[in-house]
Amino acid sequence: MSERKSIHGEWSSQLAFFLAATGSAVGLGNIWQFPFIDGNNGGGAFVLIYLACIVLIGLPILIAEVTLGRRGRESPVNTLRGLALDEGRSRAWVGVGFISMVSGIIILSFYSVVAGWSLDYLLLSLRGAYAGASPDRVSRMFAGLTANPWRQMFWFTLFLAVSLWFSARGVRAGLERAARIMMPLLFALLLLLVVYALIVGDAGAAFSYLFSPDFSRLDGQAVLLAMGHSFFTLSLGIGAMMVYGAYTPNNVSIFRVSIWVAVADTGVALFAGMAIFSLVFAKGLAPAQGPGLIFTTLPVAFGAMPLGSLFGAAFFAVLVLAAWTSAVSMIEPTVAWLEERGWVRMRAVLAVGAVVWLLGMVLDFSFNIWSGVAWQGRTLFELFNFVSSDIMLPLGGFLIALFAGWMVSERSLRRELGVSRPLLRLWLLVLRYVTPVGVLLIFLNALGLIRGAL
Ligand code: TRP
């Protein structure tokens, strides 16, 4: 097989790839979801399971996605088509690419809505809207936001428009530039917030909450959540990392950078958790608030702290920055695919953006005009989240692991990865057996088929 070249361009360096991939990985999943999932599921015990899922399931698939992408050098659909052809496998593998494009679009629709809330809260913080506010008033503030379809629409549209703008500018001038500007800013602001929270907050309580294990709260459901989250947080299962891999220069060490991406991603989640819970505990607030933790509980804590509005603004800025560099990666598989079909990038971005926007409107309305619409006890918003994050991502990741582990020859993988044979073997062993079996067990458990065994 001759060397392929990406028609979309390449990252300018290993650092650029690291920043872009970390930008994709670090998002609302780290700062909004991880802390509340952890808080609801036994703190330290959950962290241990989560770390195991990252190492045994997430990291091997991350390496697989980037490797496949760089080998194929195209959008996930065409990369899978090309590799299946090279290796003499069924063309049906292309289907994985199509599933992934759909999940990316669904995820971005609810992601944009939550990122929109963060933008609204950024402004509220700057205005001092929750300074000294009671929990009751902050709850009403949040309810007021979601009850207002037009205010919600304004913010999520703004968020989406900026994401699309970066996306439209292409790999180097758009995706890479977004990561180069936003990621260092994000790290700096987060560090500042952690230091602030450690000074004014209750670091001891946060630490023992996050890290002291309570195994009695750990059940099959928690394991499922940990696994699902390890996919989501590393942006796996929808070909986002695959297409980022397609833009990676040949001299980049995929193994090394992937490990760093996983470390940075986990680090941000843990640091964000430390900052959030130090503040929440200092004010004696309840940690297990679910999705509302960030938008209803945390502002109460900030509102009661010295310089709380300012640091509150910094917190919501971190959330928005993290979300932007993730958003661009969710639609990249589809945008790249349309480009390969001859569309101009701008047109592809606008078309994908229009679909995301329409879905986002449905979700917007699911909080107000259509709040009565539910299916099996889930609102539309919860349903979108469940189907994409809990079903489509693990399914996509499972199939990608099977493809990379069993369909691609060891020789091709070794050529792409350039690592020593023992290391390659170790990775393949995990990817072939541990990863798919892990995903399968957790699925069966979720369906109630092996309840009690986990
Ligand atoms: N990883 C991001 C987060 O933690 C979300 C994300 C970005 C994502 N791209 C993705 C999730 C692709 C799944 C697939 O918030």
Side-chain angles (χ1 to χ4, degrees), residues 264-398:
D265 183 73
T266 308
V268 169
L270 296 176
F271 277 116
M274 271 304 286
I276 291 168
F277 289 119
S278 295
L279 296 171
V280 166
F281 286 130
K283 290 297 149 198
L285 299 166
Q289 291 299 314
L293 174 68
I294 298 299
F295 297 102
T296 55
T297 308
L298 193 62
V300 179
F302 272 121
M305 299 285 180
L307 298 177
S309 295
L310 196 66
F311 282 93
F315 177 82
F316 289 106
V318 165
L319 218 50
V320 174
L321 291 171
W324 263 323
T325 50
S326 296
V328 290
S329 76
M330 291 175 201
I331 48 169
E332 189 57 24
T334 313
V335 170
W337 177 66
L338 289 172
E339 258 194 305
E340 285 156 14
R341 297 184 59 97
W343 291 40
V344 183
R345 193 169 175 97
M346 178 57 101
R347 180 160 160 240
V349 167
L350 287 177
V352 177
V355 176
V356 173
W357 188 81
L358 285 173
L359 289 176
M361 281 312 289
V362 172
L363 295 178
D364 176 350
F365 291 155
S366 80
F367 286 97
N368 33 70
I369 346 188
W370 295 341
S371 60
V373 183
W375 193 70
Q376 298 210 332
R378 289 188 165 94
T379 63
L380 286 171
F381 184 81
E382 287 162 343
L383 199 66
F384 271 44
N385 194 351
F386 173 73
V387 170
S388 58
S389 316
D390 294 347
I391 296 181
M392 294 175 89
L393 292 194
L395 183 66
F398 177 71

Side-chain angles (χ1 to χ4, degrees), residues 79-91:
T79 283
L80 288 165
R81 174 176 292 131
L83 296 186
L85 206 70
D86 284 351
E87 309 282 340
R89 305 295 177 178
S90 159
R91 274 182 50 116

Side-chain angles (χ1 to χ4, degrees), residues 41-282:
N41 290 283
F46 182 82
V47 172
L48 289 179
I49 300 291
Y50 171 72
L51 292 180
C53 286
I54 292 282
V55 173
L56 294 176
I57 297 178
L59 187 58
I61 298 181
L62 175 59
I63 295 171
E65 280 206 26
V66 178
T67 307
L68 294 179
R70 192 167 73 179
R71 202 149 177 81
R73 290 258 179 242
E74 289 183 286
S75 65
V77 164
N78 287 327
T79 283
L80 288 165
R81 174 176 292 131
L83 296 186
L85 206 70
D86 284 351
E87 309 282 340
R89 305 295 177 178
S90 159
R91 274 182 50 116
W93 285 102
V94 167
V96 179
F98 283 102
I99 300 180
S100 59
M101 295 199 292
V102 176
S103 359
I105 286 171
I106 296 181
I107 294 173
L108 184 55
S109 65
F110 70 77
Y111 211 79
S112 300
V113 173
V114 178
W117 297 342
S118 313
L119 274 174
D120 188 311
Y121 268 65
L122 176 56
L123 190 71
L124 289 174
S125 309
L126 291 173
R127 286 217 216 112
Y130 50 71
S134 65
D136 216 40
R137 218 183 89 205
V138 176
S139 293
R140 278 204 308 274
M141 200 171 86
F142 183 59
L145 165 61
T146 55
N148 185 337
W150 311 118
R151 178 166 153 203
Q152 215 170 205
M153 179 184 94
F154 174 78
W155 291 112
F156 105 75
T157 306
L158 181 65
F159 174 83
L160 187 61
V162 173
S163 316
L164 296 178
W165 185 77
F166 275 107
S167 198
R169 309 234 19 212
V171 176
R172 273 213 197 161
L175 308 187
E176 179 173 327
R177 208 157 62 106
R180 277 190 189 275
I181 301 170
M182 293 182 192
M183 292 315 285
L185 193 59
L186 182 155
F187 290 137
L189 284 177
L190 183 64
L191 201 66
L192 207 69
L193 274 162
V194 172
V195 172
Y196 169 78
L198 294 185
I199 295 172
V200 302
D202 187 344
F207 194 85
S208 69
Y209 181 73
L210 275 173
F211 300 112
S212 66
D214 177 358
F215 284 98
S216 67
R217 303 241 309 273
L218 210 60
D219 52 9
Q221 193 57 32
V223 179
L224 174 73
L225 276 172
M227 186 213 58
H229 194 67
S230 75
F231 275 101
F232 189 83
T233 194
L234 291 177
S235 306
L236 301 174
I238 70 152
M241 288 299 184
M242 208 187 285
V243 77
Y244 274 26
Y247 307 153
T248 304
N250 282 328
N251 60 6
V252 167
S253 160
I254 294 178
F255 242 84
R256 191 169 319 140
V257 180
S258 299
I259 291 173
W260 277 111
V261 171
V263 168
D265 183 73
T266 308
V268 169
L270 296 176
F271 277 116
M274 271 304 286
I276 291 168
F277 289 119
S278 295
L279 296 171
V280 166
F281 286 130

